[in-house]
Amino acid sequence: MKYIKADSVLPIALVEELQSYIQGGYIYVPSRKDSKKKWGELSGCRYEIEQRNRKIRKDYQQGKSVDELADIYYLSVHSIRKIIYEK
């Protein structure tokens, strides 16, 4: 997390109001709930896992066994079953 000087981004009146509560300290301003990203959205990891899971379901529908899929994707049999039966 990068620190930003309040007086460089906030109106002076707001900075003065904040100074009546805290001076020279740190304040964390959380993101709005509607603007938060889900896990893995920024890095692209979520997309990659979704793609992998689609491929696993497709392979299963085409006849590969759960044990084969576990070996191919380096996942446990339990994880493969969760992926296959989700949705």
Side-chain angles (χ1 to χ4, degrees), residues 24-36:
Y26 300 107
I27 297 176
Y28 172 73
V29 180
S31 301
R32 293 182 185 167
K33 289 188 180 196
D34 61 348
S35 68
K36 286 191 176 188

Side-chain angles (χ1 to χ4, degrees), residues 15 21-22 27 32 35-36 47-48 58 65 67-68 71 75 78-80:
V15 172
Y21 294 94
I22 185 171
I27 297 176
R32 293 182 185 167
S35 68
K36 286 191 176 188
Y47 176 76
E48 290 175 16
K58 182 179 175 186
S65 72
D67 289 326
E68 286 177 302
D71 288 340
L75 295 170
H78 177 74
S79 294
I80 295 293

